[in-house]
Amino acid sequence: MTEHGIGTDPTMKPIDPATAPTTTVLRTMGERSAPRGRRRRGVGWLHVPLWLGYLFLYLPIVVVVVMSFNASKNLFVWRGFSLDWYASLFHNRAMLEGLGNTLIVAISVTVISTVLGTLLAVGIHRYTKGA
């Protein structure tokens, strides 16, 4: 392999991106490419665990959101659309204190992470050989 990583032929020169032919030019010159819109066969089943994982993670969230608009106290019986649970949520002092604590922690962690991440990025940029 040469210093350019092209191959073992010493007469080969690196390709200049400014003068390299585009994909359209290469296709018109006779280069064959894979037909568009065709999928590779035999890999469709690999998506099954992916979608099962998404279903496992997001289905409970969807169920909770949908059932939060249920007028019934029983979770499994739909009595109609209602916003009563949200009204009772905002009148519950313990829930509002929990929301306040959550927001304080979230904002604090965001500010600390941003400051530390920025300092780390500046330090890496300044003190590495690639700068």
Side-chain angles (χ1 to χ4, degrees):
M1 192 160 261
T2 65
E3 65 183 353
H4 302 293
I6 296 174
T8 56
D9 186 4
T11 61
M12 292 186 74
K13 298 178 181 174
I15 296 174
D16 181 17
T19 60
T22 62
T23 308
T24 307
V25 172
L26 290 175
R27 278 199 199 113
T28 58
M29 292 171 52
E31 179 180 293
R32 300 185 122 217
S33 62
R36 293 181 186 218
R38 288 186 66 187
R39 296 178 57 167
R40 292 186 292 178
R41 296 176 192 223
V43 295
W45 64 272
L46 291 175
H47 294 284
V48 171
L50 172 78
W51 289 109
L52 286 175
Y54 280 142
L55 192 68
F56 178 76
L57 291 173
Y58 290 109
L59 184 63
I61 296 171
V62 170
V63 169
V64 167
V65 169
V66 169
M67 296 313 268
S68 70
F69 295 106
N70 189 2
S72 174
K73 288 187 177 184
N74 186 351
L75 177 65
F76 301 105
V77 177
W78 182 263
R79 298 264 188 226
F81 183 82
S82 173
L83 296 175
D84 292 340
W85 297 116
Y86 288 99
S88 65
L89 171 72
F90 290 114
H91 290 299
N92 187 340
R93 183 162 178 78
M95 291 299 288
L96 292 177
E97 287 178 6
L99 177 64
N101 290 338
T102 301
L103 290 176
I104 289 170
V105 169
I107 292 170
S108 302
V109 167
T110 301
V111 169
I112 291 169
S113 299
T114 302
V115 169
L116 290 177
T118 303
L119 290 173
L120 184 63
V122 168
I124 289 173
H125 179 72
R126 184 175 292 174
Y127 295 111
T128 57
K129 290 184 177 183

